[in-house]
């Protein structure tokens, strides 16, 4: 472990420590569903340590991967007209507007868009933008997922940004929203939360097609259908022992990024799929994050930086020769490293006895990233067994590839003395509250530890009869914290979902039981919760029926009803409970993506399941 000697950095660390806080005591009888709130002052927390994360390697990335993370010069949608004014809902329209239109049947267009028969030619070869806006009215079942269909022809695409752009009128945010750039003759896009893109006072839905930089395309038809989504599974990687402990996230460009480990080589891997061709393996770009790791990368987690658009990845390295206790924490990011170029920068910090189960999240509106891991400490008797280590990485405003200062907080067991005997902080899942930027960690299934005011930690929820795995997410739409975990006090397990008030941590808003067991299933050995943009929670989880494991997905359709879908169309026969890991991502149009590993004898494959493509 390395210590900083700079007084300035030590002062900075003290400021960070004040921002992170500590302290709580868990009541011994916390097996009921009521939140528990007690705390211990910061002075009881004695083990804030200042570390340095060192750059151990840099791996250049390909231009193809860079393009999937970053739009090159996206068009300025403010050059489109203002969002159309709409007729208030409840007044009969003058005419019913069909769900399907010819390209020539536009709502509005630019001067350089010309009608050709029933089509519309968008030609930006003379410079500037060429665009068309299409309107769908009387979309009566707009709460259902909707499928946007765009048929084009005659594309003349070249340069750095070939193709046409598609977007929607986002009345919730009050602007035109870019969805993607495409070269496809037939473009499909599922809009799960179609209601978010309708005026609150109407059933009117607007979409645009736009070309720039000399591109030309002919719009032949535009349609919007009600859609009952189905799950489609995509094999992402099938080399020996790939796909363990995967994590998934949508990029700022709408593409899909997955990180995972190859347990045969120990190398961490990133694979990114082009949004409009996720079913075609030729549109997935693979990158080895660390080509020569010290140890075996495991337990990866992924966050996309909203400012740079590039990924931030946490992991642990087991069997690290450079660590006395055998494992370290890895922190990898894509950045423009001086003298090297845009590359994976791989950082390592810590000297841990049995590090497992990493989780990462960004402190809102800052350059800080938090990472949690569990330290087994089976040999290091100076530290508590199964302890939680929480690190805060301070990213500089201008990344240079130098050392990253890190504040480490550990020994949570020392400040939670009344935890059940043998308690371990298994499967920590970290999220920061958007309202106050303070951390909350779900651990050991049904336990939730939060920083309440910057100076104190509190356990706001505890279920001693929960399984080891749980997860949390935040809903910006409702200011609620959602937590999912399993209950293991019966032969089968019941998946459980609870929500808390984000503004007043510890206030339990709802308790929703996912009573999905059939009497023979064990649910939620792995599970992940994520919110749609409208505040609807979705849960990906495993189900074991005694002979094999499947992956399922449930989302809340009313106050007390969950819609359950089976994701894995072919059950994993013979795969024991607890061998499958899952992660879940939902983008701002409601597209749901689940990644999971599929054990295959002594090997393991990686799959991504998508709903509605």
């Amino acid at each position: 472990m390395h210590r900083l000697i700079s007084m300035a950095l030590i002062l900075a660390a003290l400021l960070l420590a004040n921002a992170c806080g500590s302290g709580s005591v868990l009541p011994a009888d916390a097996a009921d569903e009521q939140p528990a709130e007690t705390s211990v002052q910061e002075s009881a927390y004695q083990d804030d340590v200042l570390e340095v994360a060192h750059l151990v390697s840099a791996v250049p990335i390909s231009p193809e991967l860079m393009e999937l993370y970053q739009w090159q010069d996206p068009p300025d949608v403010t050059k489109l007209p203002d969002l159309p004014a709409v007729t208030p809902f409840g007044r009969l329209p003058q005419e019913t507007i069909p769900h399907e239109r010819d390209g020539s049947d536009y709502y509005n267009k630019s001067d350089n868009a010309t009608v050709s028969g029933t089509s519309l030619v968008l030609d930006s070869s003379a410079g500037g933008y060429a665009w068309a806006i299409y309107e769908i009215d009387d979309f009566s079942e707009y709460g259902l997922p909707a499928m946007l269909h765009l048929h084009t022809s005659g594309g003349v695409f070249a340069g750095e940004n070939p193709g046409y752009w598609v977007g929607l009128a986002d009345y919730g945010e009050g602007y035109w929203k870019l969805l993607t750039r495409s070269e496809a003759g037939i473009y499909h896009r599922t809009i799960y939360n179609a209601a978010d893109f309708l005026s609150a006072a109407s059933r009117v839905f607007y979409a645009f097609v736009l070309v720039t930089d000399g591109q030309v395309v002919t719009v032949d038809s535009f349609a919007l259908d009600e859609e009952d989504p189905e799950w489609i599974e995509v094999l992402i990687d099938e080399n020996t022992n790939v796909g363990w402990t995967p994590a998934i996230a949508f990029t700022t460009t709408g593409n899909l990024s997955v990180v995972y480990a190859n347990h045969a080589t120990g190398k961490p891997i990133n694979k990114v799929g082009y949004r409009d061709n996720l079913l075609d393996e030729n549109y997935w770009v693979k990158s080895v994050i660390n080509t020569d790791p010290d140890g075996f990368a495991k337990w990866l987690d992924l966050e996309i930086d909203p400012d740079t658009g590039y990924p931030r990845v946490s992991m642990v390295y087991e069997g690290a020769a450079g660590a006395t206790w055998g494992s370290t924490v890895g922190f990898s990011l894509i950045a423009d490293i001086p003298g090297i170029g845009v590359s994976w920068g791989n950082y390592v910090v810590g000297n841990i006895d049995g590090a497992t189960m990493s989780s990462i999240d960004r402190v809102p509106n800052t350059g800080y990233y938090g990472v949690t891991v569990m330290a087994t400490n089976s040999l290091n008797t100076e530290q508590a067994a199964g302890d939680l280590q929480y690190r805060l990485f301070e990213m500089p405003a201008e990344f240079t590839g130098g050392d990253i200062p890190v504040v480490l907080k550990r020994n949570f067991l020392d400040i939670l003395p009344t935890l059940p005997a043998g308690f371990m902080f298994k499967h920590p899942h970290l999220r920061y509250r958007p309202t106050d930027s303070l951390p909350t960690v779900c651990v050991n299934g049904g336990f939730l530890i939060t920083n309440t005011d910057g100076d104190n930690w509190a356990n706001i929820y505890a279920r001693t009869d929960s399984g080891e795995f749980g997860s949390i997410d935040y809903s910006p739409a409702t200011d609620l914290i959602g937590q999912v975990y399993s209950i293991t006090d019966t032969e089968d397990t019941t998946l459980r979902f609870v929500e808390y008030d984000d503004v007043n941590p510890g206030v339990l808003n709802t308790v929703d039981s996912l009573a999905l067991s059939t009497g023979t299933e064990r649910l939620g050995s792995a599970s992940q919760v994520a919110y749609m943009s409208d505040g609807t929670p979705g849960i990906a989880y495993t189900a074991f029926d005694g002979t094999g494991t499947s992956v399922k997905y449930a989302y809340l359709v009313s106050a007390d009803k969950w819609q359950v879908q089976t994701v894995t169309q072919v059950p994993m026969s013979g795969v024991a409970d607890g061998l499958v890991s899952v992660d879940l991502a939902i983008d701002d149009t409601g597209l749901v993506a689940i990644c999971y590993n599929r054990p295959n004898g002594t090997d393991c494959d990686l799959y991504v399941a998508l709903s509605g493509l």
Side-chain angles (χ1 to χ4, degrees):
M1 181 182 297
H2 300 270
R3 302 293 181 93
L4 291 179
I5 59 174
S6 165
M7 182 60 68
L9 288 177
I10 291 175
L11 291 174
L14 293 174
L15 291 175
L16 288 175
N18 185 58
C20 295
S22 68
S24 85
V25 176
L26 175 67
D29 58 349
D32 58 19
E33 296 168 359
Q34 301 304 314
E37 276 193 282
T38 54
S39 63
V40 184
Q41 294 302 313
E42 177 75 15
S43 59
Y45 195 87
Q46 301 294 331
D47 203 14
D48 293 352
V49 179
L50 198 60
E51 299 180 317
V52 178
H54 295 288
L55 182 68
V56 295
S57 68
V59 181
I61 69 171
S62 67
E64 292 80 10
L65 185 68
M66 189 187 310
E67 183 177 350
L68 288 169
Y69 278 116
Q70 303 233 321
W71 274 336
Q72 303 300 312
D73 301 321
D76 181 5
V77 294
T78 62
K79 293 185 178 180
L80 293 171
D82 292 339
L83 296 186
V86 294
T87 303
F89 179 68
R91 292 174 54 189
L92 293 176
Q94 297 296 318
E95 59 179 344
T96 299
I97 301 174
H99 287 195
E100 183 174 359
R101 290 180 167 277
D102 291 331
S104 59
D105 192 11
Y106 55 85
Y107 170 81
N108 197 358
K109 71 176 184 68
S110 60
D111 291 339
N112 52 354
T114 57
V115 173
S116 176
T118 60
S119 300
L120 186 70
V121 180
L122 307 182
D123 187 348
S124 66
S125 59
Y129 288 18
W131 51 265
I133 297 172
Y134 293 91
E135 178 186 51
I136 296 293
D137 200 356
D138 195 25
F139 195 64
S140 58
E141 299 296 332
Y142 60 81
L144 293 174
M147 178 70 82
L148 185 154
H149 305 275
L150 178 65
H151 287 244
T152 68
S153 60
V156 180
F157 305 136
E160 293 184 355
N161 292 297
Y164 56 86
W165 296 84
V166 182
L168 302 174
D170 188 338
Y171 281 95
E173 299 294 336
Y175 58 76
W176 292 102
K177 179 180 180 61
L178 283 172
L179 292 181
T180 193
R181 175 169 55 84
S182 178
E183 300 178 54
I186 301 176
Y187 171 84
H188 300 290
R189 179 68 171 263
T190 302
I191 312 297
Y192 281 79
N193 49 340
D196 290 357
F197 297 97
L198 300 168
S199 167
S202 76
R203 292 189 176 113
V204 183
F205 185 98
Y206 293 93
F208 69 83
V209 185
L210 179 152
V211 293
T212 186
D213 297 330
Q215 314 299 307
V216 180
V217 73
T218 298
V219 180
D220 296 318
S221 66
F222 168 83
L224 193 71
D225 299 327
E226 298 163 12
E227 181 74 12
D228 186 14
E230 298 179 354
W231 286 97
I232 299 176
E233 298 170 272
V234 184
L235 177 61
I236 300 302
D237 205 337
E238 58 179 341
N239 292 327
T240 302
N241 257 350
V242 298
W244 293 100
T245 58
I248 193 168
F250 284 98
T251 70
T252 57
T253 55
N255 299 316
L256 198 54
S257 178
V258 183
V259 295
Y260 55 100
N262 185 320
H263 278 198
T265 66
K267 297 177 181 179
I269 298 169
N270 177 219
K271 207 161 187 180
V272 186
Y274 181 47
R275 171 62 180 261
D276 298 320
N277 297 91
L278 291 173
L279 304 184
D280 187 341
E281 63 179 2
N282 294 319
Y283 285 86
W284 286 82
V285 178
K286 184 177 181 178
S287 171
V288 178
I289 298 173
N290 190 344
T291 56
D292 188 23
D294 179 13
F296 279 62
K298 296 182 179 180
W299 301 106
L300 282 71
D301 198 13
L302 170 65
E303 183 76 11
I304 302 297
D305 186 87
D307 296 328
T308 66
Y310 284 131
R312 306 289 186 258
V313 183
S314 67
M315 67 193 79
V316 301
Y317 289 106
E318 296 181 0
T324 306
W325 291 110
S327 60
T328 57
V329 175
F331 179 72
S332 296
L333 70 157
I334 290 181
D336 190 355
I337 302 177
I340 300 176
V342 179
S343 307
W344 281 105
N346 296 299
Y347 284 81
V348 169
V349 67
N351 176 16
I352 307 168
D353 178 11
T356 67
M357 311 167 189
S358 82
S359 178
I360 188 172
D361 197 27
R362 177 180 183 263
V363 182
N365 304 313
T366 73
Y368 295 97
Y369 278 85
V371 174
T372 57
V373 300
M374 187 190 84
T376 305
N377 290 330
S378 59
L379 300 175
N380 184 1
T381 57
E382 294 181 1
Q383 304 293 335
D387 210 352
L388 177 69
Q389 294 198 3
Y390 163 52
R391 286 172 168 82
L392 194 64
F393 290 75
E394 180 185 3
M395 296 297 299
E398 294 186 8
F399 183 77
T400 63
D403 292 342
I404 299 176
V406 180
V407 171
L408 162 64
K409 291 180 174 294
R410 65 185 182 195
N411 292 345
F412 275 69
L413 285 170
D414 288 350
I415 61 167
L416 299 173
T418 59
L419 284 168
F423 185 89
M424 292 186 177
F425 289 86
K426 294 182 178 181
H427 297 282
H429 196 213
L430 169 69
R431 288 292 180 266
Y432 289 93
R433 301 192 296 270
T435 49
D436 57 17
S437 298
L438 293 176
T440 296
V441 187
C442 168
V443 295
N444 209 21
F447 291 78
L448 197 67
I449 300 168
T450 187
N451 190 291
T452 55
D453 57 11
D455 293 325
N456 300 289
W457 288 80
N459 189 317
I460 63 173
Y461 193 74
R463 287 292 299 244
T464 56
D465 57 352
S466 64
E468 295 180 355
F469 201 103
S471 71
I472 56 172
D473 197 23
Y474 287 92
S475 169
T478 61
D479 285 334
L480 294 178
I481 307 169
Q483 180 183 11
V484 63
Y485 59 92
S486 61
I487 296 295
T488 59
D489 57 356
T490 58
E491 288 186 4
D492 59 321
T493 57
T494 299
L495 206 60
R496 193 90 174 145
F497 175 75
V498 295
E499 285 185 321
Y500 317 88
D501 189 336
D502 179 19
V503 179
N504 301 293
V507 178
L508 192 66
N509 274 19
T510 61
V511 178
D512 296 308
S513 177
L514 281 170
L516 305 177
S517 295
T518 63
T520 59
E521 287 185 311
R522 296 186 61 83
L523 304 182
S525 290
S527 61
Q528 292 286 340
V529 61
Y531 280 97
M532 300 182 190
S533 60
D534 63 357
T536 300
I539 302 170
Y541 60 97
T542 59
F544 178 70
D545 64 2
T547 61
T549 299
S550 60
V551 176
K552 296 187 177 183
Y553 175 72
Y555 62 96
L556 196 64
V557 294
S558 64
D560 58 356
K561 182 180 179 182
W562 293 83
Q563 181 68 42
V564 180
Q565 300 170 340
T566 299
V567 175
T568 45
Q569 301 305 308
V570 178
M572 291 178 262
S573 299
V575 175
D577 190 30
L579 294 182
V580 178
S581 297
V582 300
D583 198 19
L584 168 67
I586 306 177
D587 80 348
D588 53 9
T589 64
L591 176 63
V592 183
I594 298 172
C595 66
Y596 63 94
N597 65 304
R598 191 180 185 107
N600 179 19
T602 59
D603 294 338
C604 184
D605 301 330
L606 175 67
Y607 279 80
V608 168
L610 304 139
S611 180
L613 284 181

